[in-house]
Amino acid sequence: MSDNGSGFWAKLKRPSIKYSLLTLLSVGFVSGVFFWGGFNTAMEATNTLEFCIGCHEMKDNVYQEYKKTIHYSNRTGVRAYCSDCHVPKDWTHKMMRKIQASRELYGKVMGTIDTREKFEAKRLELATSEWARMKASDSRECRNCHSFTAMDIEKQKARASKMHKIGQEDKQTCIDCHKGIAHSKPQNMPEDEEEEGDATF
């Protein structure tokens, strides 16, 4: 099919008769700013604690466990929220994580963990998936607050100091030892998954 210059694409390529190029660029720029601002605001709204515990599946289960941990209440008054541990900070990884998390909407609609019993039955699967994600990223979100280079290992308790030295030597990542740091571990974990490093440090 030949294009005689009057087709749809040809019209898009032609300059506008009514509006100057500067006007079109300005409108496009302003529209882009509004779109990006709205999109970013919506994305950040999904990182709030209120959003995360907006469904009873989270509020009644993992949120109640999290409130009993050092990440919720501690001597320094610094609180780590859900997104601090589960959502990357940089834009590319954040978007990838948001796309992955959209599967949870399907689970919500289908009621896969809408009761305590269903949640506990799936806890090991959910936890294993999250631990694998954290290990694959070298515990990136943990390292936003904790890093070996910033630690003064000599000021830590003897057991923590020893384990962190071993972890550094063995090129381990945070989640290798700290699986029960913010939520209860699944009761049906395989024996080889039981770690001694789950206590707070």
Side-chain angles (χ1 to χ4, degrees), residues 91-117:
W91 193 86
T92 303
H93 290 107
K94 183 192 294 185
M95 290 303 105
M96 290 170 59
R97 180 71 185 112
K98 293 293 183 182
I99 292 167
Q100 291 170 349
S102 65
R103 291 178 301 177
E104 295 166 13
L105 296 174
Y106 175 79
K108 173 69 176 171
V109 171
M110 300 305 291
T112 55
I113 57 169
D114 61 355
T115 66
R116 180 74 179 172
E117 293 72 27

Side-chain angles (χ1 to χ4, degrees), residues 65-162:
E65 299 164 0
Y66 152 74
K67 289 199 300 184
K68 299 173 185 172
T69 70
I70 197 167
H71 280 110
Y72 185 83
S73 181
N74 53 66
R75 67 188 179 280
T76 63
V78 177
R79 181 171 291 168
Y81 293 99
C82 310
S83 59
D84 291 324
C85 299
H86 296 285
V87 181
K89 301 290 185 201
D90 66 284
W91 193 86
T92 303
H93 290 107
K94 183 192 294 185
M95 290 303 105
M96 290 170 59
R97 180 71 185 112
K98 293 293 183 182
I99 292 167
Q100 291 170 349
S102 65
R103 291 178 301 177
E104 295 166 13
L105 296 174
Y106 175 79
K108 173 69 176 171
V109 171
M110 300 305 291
T112 55
I113 57 169
D114 61 355
T115 66
R116 180 74 179 172
E117 293 72 27
K118 287 181 183 178
F119 176 79
E120 287 300 334
K122 282 191 73 81
R123 184 189 279 266
L124 179 60
E125 177 188 336
L126 297 169
T128 301
S129 174
E130 188 61 5
W131 294 334
R133 184 192 69 78
M134 293 175 123
K135 186 166 178 65
S137 71
D138 192 23
S139 299
R140 177 182 48 231
E141 283 68 66
C142 302
R143 295 177 190 279
N144 286 332
C145 297
H146 310 281
S147 70
F148 281 135
T149 56
M151 286 181 189
D152 188 344
I153 291 178
E154 301 308 321
K155 289 184 178 177
Q156 295 176 349
K157 292 180 181 176
R159 183 173 175 276
S161 178
K162 175 186 173 186

Side-chain angles (χ1 to χ4, degrees), residues 18-30:
K18 296 180 181 178
Y19 306 104
S20 70
L21 181 59
L22 181 59
T23 300
L24 294 174
L25 287 174
S26 298
V27 169
F29 176 77
V30 171

